[in-house]
């Protein structure tokens, strides 16, 4: 009996965790098993103090061929309720879990990136692409639309003319063009992709973890707020940062004291 390979691989490079979508035979198309594995992986990395930055990439020649077209358009064997849950998970893990993940995330786009793969790139904080990687909002070519979080992702990262041109034509483009339109930070030759991405990840991993987390939260929420609400929000986040950096340590020390039996916070004076 052969074991089914895990749909997600996890590897550490010191404080940087590399998460690899691992369905190379299906060009890392996102099916229910891969989505569940990504949710579990991110939830475990959230609590893992050794992990300070997450890099997401794909095994084999592609980064991600989007949603698994066989599973998502041929699920007659699923009940309506379980199908709804699968579809909800498929969107939520990207636009909620990944987009608001408490540690910085970098998409390392090693190869083909289509449809749903776009929102995977957008929901990461940063992205570095292989200059030759092929991208495409290909849905229009099979009479579909950029569904789930893809339309919103495109609206939030691209200029309107670029987003609509790509969505209405389904034209493929390469990593160099993805850099020009701001879909990725940088496009580099394939042989430099890993070293380049890891250098960036390690640079960020060297910063204060609480400041990184709140910088990201401030940016993500401020983008959706008006000026007054965003000033109030970032003021509150500044106090939260102080609390995390100062009180957080003393609070943790108190919990350690309690666990070691040195402190009985409920005892009478
Ligand atoms: N869903 C399910 N299976 C997919 C898939 C997807 N989105 N994309 C690729 N695959 C499968 C193919 O069916 C094939 O499976 P098989 O070997 O069992 O026949 C396998 O992955 C390899 O695909 P292939 O087309 O032979 O590889 P390629 O390297 O020549 O081309 C792509 C790669 C990604 C360019 C091409 O597969 C493609 O256009 N896929 C669809 C991408 C897309 O439009 N996604 C949007 C979905 S929202």
């Amino acid at each position: 009996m052969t074991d089914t390979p895990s749909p997600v691989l996890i590897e550490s490079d010191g404080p940087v965790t590399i998460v690899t979508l691992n369905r190379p035979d299906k060009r890392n198309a996102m099916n229910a098993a891969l989505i569940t594995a990504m949710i579990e992986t991110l939830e475990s990395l959230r609590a893992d103090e050794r992990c300070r930055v997450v890099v997401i990439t794909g095994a084999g020649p592609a980064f991600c061929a989007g949603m698994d077209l066989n599973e998502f358009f041929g699920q007659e064997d699923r009940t309506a309720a379980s199908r709804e849950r699968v579809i909800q998970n498929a969107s939520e893990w990207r636009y909620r879990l990944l987009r608001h993940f408490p540690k910085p995330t970098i998409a390392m786009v090693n190869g083909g990136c289509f449809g749903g793969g776009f929102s995977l790139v957008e929901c990461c904080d940063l992205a570095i692409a292989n200059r030759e990687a092929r991208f495409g909002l290909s849905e229009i070519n099979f009479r579909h639309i950029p569904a789930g979080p893809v339309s919103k992702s495109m609206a939030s990262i691209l200029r309107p003319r670029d987003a609509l041109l790509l969505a209405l034509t389904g034209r493929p483009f390469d990593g160099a063009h993805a850099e020009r339109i701001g879909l990725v930070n940088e496009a580099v030759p394939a042989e430099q992709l890993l070293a380049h991405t890891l250098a960036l990840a390690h640079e960020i991993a060297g910063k204060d973890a609480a400041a990184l987390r709140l910088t990201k939260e401030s940016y993500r929420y401020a983008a959706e707020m008006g000026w007054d609400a965003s000033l109030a929000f970032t003021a509150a986040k500044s106090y939260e940062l102080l609390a995390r950096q100062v009180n957080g340590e003393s609070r943790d020390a108190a919990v350690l004291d309690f666990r070691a039996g040195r402190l009985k916070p409920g005892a009478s004076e």
Side-chain angles (χ1 to χ4, degrees):
M1 202 177 80
T2 52
D3 289 337
T4 315
S6 169
V8 170
L9 303 176
I10 305 166
E11 203 183 330
S12 291
D13 184 44
V16 177
T17 306
I18 303 167
V19 173
T20 304
L21 311 182
N22 189 37
R23 297 185 75 215
D25 294 349
K26 300 293 177 189
R27 303 304 183 253
N28 304 317
M30 293 182 277
N31 66 349
L34 186 145
I35 289 162
T36 304
M38 281 306 292
I39 292 170
E40 288 169 0
T41 300
L42 290 175
E43 287 303 351
S44 84
L45 293 178
R46 177 197 295 278
D48 183 347
E49 285 182 4
R50 291 162 303 179
C51 165
R52 295 170 71 93
V53 175
V54 176
V55 170
I56 298 182
T57 191
F63 173 69
C64 176
M67 303 313 295
D68 188 306
L69 294 169
N70 297 317
E71 269 202 32
F72 281 86
F73 295 91
Q75 297 181 353
E76 291 73 20
D77 54 327
R78 288 207 171 100
T79 63
S82 82
R83 182 177 158 78
E84 196 174 305
R85 184 68 250 167
V86 168
I87 287 174
Q88 208 167 341
N89 279 348
S91 291
E92 280 182 6
W93 87 265
R94 282 170 285 162
Y95 84 83
R96 216 172 249 161
L97 181 56
L98 180 59
R99 208 155 196 277
H100 293 281
F101 196 65
K103 303 171 186 194
T105 53
I106 306 175
M108 182 168 82
V109 188
N110 52 301
C113 176
F114 296 88
F118 273 62
S119 63
L120 185 42
V121 173
E122 190 272 330
C123 291
C124 286
D125 302 316
L126 302 170
I128 309 290
N130 167 0
R131 208 147 60 192
E132 266 91 54
R134 265 172 96 72
F135 290 76
L137 277 177
S138 47
E139 289 89 339
I140 195 73
N141 296 333
F142 52 90
R143 300 183 182 187
H144 211 275
I145 63 167
V150 181
S151 287
K152 181 71 178 163
S153 279
M154 292 306 93
S156 68
I157 202 166
L158 297 180
R159 293 179 303 187
R161 298 280 183 221
D162 287 323
L164 282 166
L165 181 69
L166 297 174
L168 294 174
T169 63
R171 278 183 201 164
F173 58 96
D174 65 10
H177 188 71
E179 179 188 309
R180 278 196 294 277
I181 62 176
L183 180 58
V184 301
N185 294 90
E186 245 182 299
V188 298
E191 64 279 10
Q192 293 171 19
L193 182 64
L194 180 63
H196 201 82
T197 308
L198 286 180
L200 174 63
H202 281 280
E203 178 187 342
I204 295 170
K207 314 283 183 197
D208 180 79
L212 284 173
R213 176 185 177 140
L214 297 183
T215 296
K216 175 169 169 173
E217 272 180 36
S218 298
Y219 174 80
R220 291 266 180 234
Y221 288 107
E224 293 163 13
M225 290 174 180
W227 277 94
D228 292 319
S230 111
L231 289 187
F233 184 79
T234 49
K237 286 288 153 189
S238 299
Y239 281 114
E240 182 184 337
L241 182 57
L242 265 182
R244 280 181 183 275
Q245 288 170 335
V246 181
N247 303 339
E249 278 174 28
S250 59
R251 188 190 54 212
D252 292 348
V255 172
L256 286 180
D257 280 348
F258 171 71
R259 286 204 190 133
R262 293 187 294 267
L263 176 69
K264 283 189 193 290
S268 51
E269 296 285 313

